[in-house]
Amino acid sequence: MSCMEKKGFATRQIHVAHPHLEGISPLATPIFQTSTFVFDNTAQGAARFAGEQEGYIYTRLGNPNANEVGAKVASLEGGEAGVVMASGMGAISGTLWTLLKAGDHVLADRALYGCTYACLTTGLIRYGIEVTQVDFSNLEEIKNGIQPNTAVVYFETESNPDLKIADISAIAGLVHGLKPDIKVVVDNTFVTPYLIRPLELGADVVVHSATKYLNGHGDVVAGVAVSSKEIIHEIAHYGMKDMTGAVVGPFEAFLLNRGIKTLDIRMTKHCASAQRIAEFLESHSAVKKVLYPGLKSHPQHELAKRLFEHGFGGMVTFELNCDKKRAETFINSLSLCALAVSLGDTETLIEHPASMTHSTYSPEALAEAGIRESMIRLSVGLEDPEDVIADLKEQLDKI
Ligand code: PLP
């Protein structure tokens, strides 16, 4: 363990893997906006390709900006190594391409981000991979879903958009107890390592849409995978380099590194504001149901209290006491909350999962996954929460 690894979360989110540049020592890592790196001679080039000498070759195989972020997120998640990719879907598909081969089976939660669902159920099945989905809040269903050829178990720490919390240590313990070589892959996008660290609870790989809270400013699309050194080496050299080519640009990696430096203080405010807004929504007569793990009414509030540190996240899902048309008018009339997909940004974003982020699901699959047509998803931003509440209240009062 390096001395930096013994430091606290905030110190590591700022300092881990900051490259030392001889004779210049810039405080912020410069942007290495280069596609390739010049070798001193042919022997050096050959040694780098053979993996006998450390050093950069070509940005698809590694770049100082991307490597800094990969190592930093690995440290924050409590993993040995990390790799940054061009998007969350790049990280997810690169990881799955690496861990799976034809004939393997994936057991996944029913409620997943729409494009992850599409990657599994219309993408990977084309290549001889079998996929089944069960409800991951039910350990019996998981146990019954494991098959002799199951190679990957896949779920989200907090499912999208129904905000179900996965009991990671119970799931990983069950799965590894049945078949130790199954890789438990967890999407930790909604929660971030500041609130829950799945690897410490027994998961094998963590993936992120770094587009969301890790970057936090709505100006980057990127993804990260974190795991053991061996698995990340495979994901970087097979899943990313050869299969998806989902390489992050140096500028995006630079912005992502800057965003991560304030992750803890942003998450603290997202959590505090989301708690207040969820409580407000629950108290309003026009609101039928609120899903937020920090509310006593959340079906897994006790589990959430055990798993979450520092707060219960920035995502709130709710349903209104009105028909679809009136709910659309409510969303369209808000002035501060922006109607947009994505999440984890400084701005509060509101969206309709059934017709937007989860439009890859058929109506039957949505119903099976517990994603109701009436659900509205709010990503609470960093504005003054009373202003967000006032915006919501003004329109709710009209229903
Ligand atoms: N995982 C989750 C939970 C998401 O919400 C998203 C995007 O919304 C993704 C993965 C995909 O990430 P990206 O859009 O960066 O490819």
Side-chain angles (χ1 to χ4, degrees):
M1 189 188 266
S2 76
C3 74
M4 190 51 73
E5 287 309 305
K6 293 186 195 131
K7 306 261 191 249
F9 192 95
T11 306
R12 285 180 290 127
Q13 74 187 2
I14 296 167
H15 292 284
V16 164
H18 180 60
H20 176 70
L21 300 175
E22 200 65 50
I24 318 177
S25 302
L27 182 66
T29 308
I31 305 168
F32 289 83
Q33 194 70 36
T34 182
S35 56
T36 197
F37 297 83
V38 179
F39 306 129
D40 290 345
N41 50 52
T42 51
Q44 187 187 57
R48 289 197 185 164
F49 268 96
E52 291 158 3
Q53 190 196 80
E54 294 243 324
Y56 291 98
I57 297 174
Y58 181 68
T59 282
R60 181 158 43 78
L61 283 63
N63 174 287
N65 296 106
N67 288 13
E68 180 173 3
V69 178
K72 184 172 278 188
V73 180
S75 165
L76 300 178
E77 284 284 6
E80 283 178 3
V83 58
V84 187
M85 305 217 203
S87 66
M89 285 317 300
I92 291 165
S93 57
T95 298
L96 293 174
W97 274 119
T98 305
L99 299 178
L100 293 166
K101 58 179 184 342
D104 284 344
H105 167 249
V106 180
L107 183 68
D109 191 11
R110 280 198 201 282
L112 296 170
Y113 167 59
C115 296
T116 306
Y117 171 76
C119 171
L120 288 168
T121 60
T122 57
L124 290 176
I125 58 157
R126 290 196 204 177
Y127 303 96
I129 291 158
E130 222 187 307
V131 178
T132 51
Q133 291 178 278
V134 297
D135 175 1
F136 267 53
S137 60
N138 184 332
L139 290 178
E140 205 51 33
E141 282 196 26
I142 300 174
K143 190 174 158 202
N144 295 335
I146 300 289
Q147 300 179 12
N149 58 341
T150 305
V152 165
V153 159
Y154 189 101
F155 58 97
E156 296 169 2
T157 315
E158 184 178 26
S159 64
N160 183 2
D162 57 342
L163 309 191
K164 218 171 49 190
I165 309 303
D167 190 346
I168 301 170
S169 47
I171 297 170
L174 169 75
V175 168
H176 288 143
L178 291 170
K179 210 167 164 253
D181 58 336
I182 293 177
K183 298 292 178 270
V184 174
V185 181
V186 181
D187 182 332
N188 204 27
T189 300
F190 267 40
V191 172
T192 83
Y194 189 56
L195 307 184
I196 298 181
R197 289 172 297 285
L199 297 177
E200 291 176 2
L201 299 170
D204 298 294
V205 184
V206 164
V207 289
H208 273 276
S209 169
T211 313
K212 312 292 162 28
Y213 290 108
L214 291 183
N215 179 61
H217 293 76
D219 49 14
V220 165
V221 173
V224 185
V226 175
S227 184
S228 65
K229 277 191 186 139
E230 281 152 290
I231 291 178
I232 292 302
H233 186 269
E234 277 286 293
I235 294 173
H237 288 85
Y238 179 74
M240 181 172 77
K241 176 173 83 65
D242 297 342
M243 293 305 288
T244 62
V247 179
V248 71
F251 181 53
E252 279 72 18
F254 165 87
L255 286 177
L256 183 50
N257 190 40
R258 188 169 73 155
I260 292 171
K261 289 182 185 187
T262 56
L263 179 64
D264 67 332
I265 50 175
R266 287 187 287 104
M267 289 316 294
T268 302
K269 174 124 194 233
H270 282 300
C271 291
S273 298
Q275 181 77 40
R276 278 188 59 185
I277 291 167
E279 284 168 11
F280 157 72
L281 287 170
E282 198 166 49
S283 72
H284 200 288
S285 59
V287 178
K288 184 160 85 187
K289 191 176 171 80
V290 183
L291 285 170
Y292 182 67
L295 292 178
K296 283 201 187 80
S297 57
H298 188 284
Q300 295 164 301
H301 181 58
E302 290 308 314
L303 173 66
K305 280 204 291 194
R306 187 151 58 74
L307 291 186
F308 279 87
E309 292 174 23
H310 311 294
F312 296 95
M315 302 300 296
V316 180
T317 294
F318 62 101
E319 292 166 77
L320 298 176
N321 272 322
C322 62
D323 63 18
K324 185 168 178 241
K325 211 164 163 16
R326 187 65 192 81
E328 280 171 9
T329 307
F330 161 78
I331 296 176
N332 292 335
S333 310
L334 294 166
S335 58
L336 187 60
C337 304
L339 174 54
V341 295
S342 205
L343 58 114
D345 293 331
T346 47
E347 293 79 2
T348 295
L349 306 179
I350 194 159
E351 68 116 5
H352 178 239
S355 66
M356 296 175 187
T357 45
H358 291 68
S359 56
T360 51
Y361 278 71
S362 67
E364 297 75 38
L366 279 178
E368 267 180 7
I371 303 169
R372 286 185 290 279
E373 165 74 41
S374 49
M375 283 178 169
I376 297 171
R377 193 186 80 179
L378 193 69
S379 166
V380 175
L382 299 179
E383 302 95 340
D384 294 300
E386 46 277 18
D387 290 332
V388 179
I389 289 173
D391 190 29
L392 293 166
K393 184 173 181 320
E394 189 183 346
Q395 299 310 324
L396 287 173
D397 287 349
K398 294 181 189 162
I399 293 178

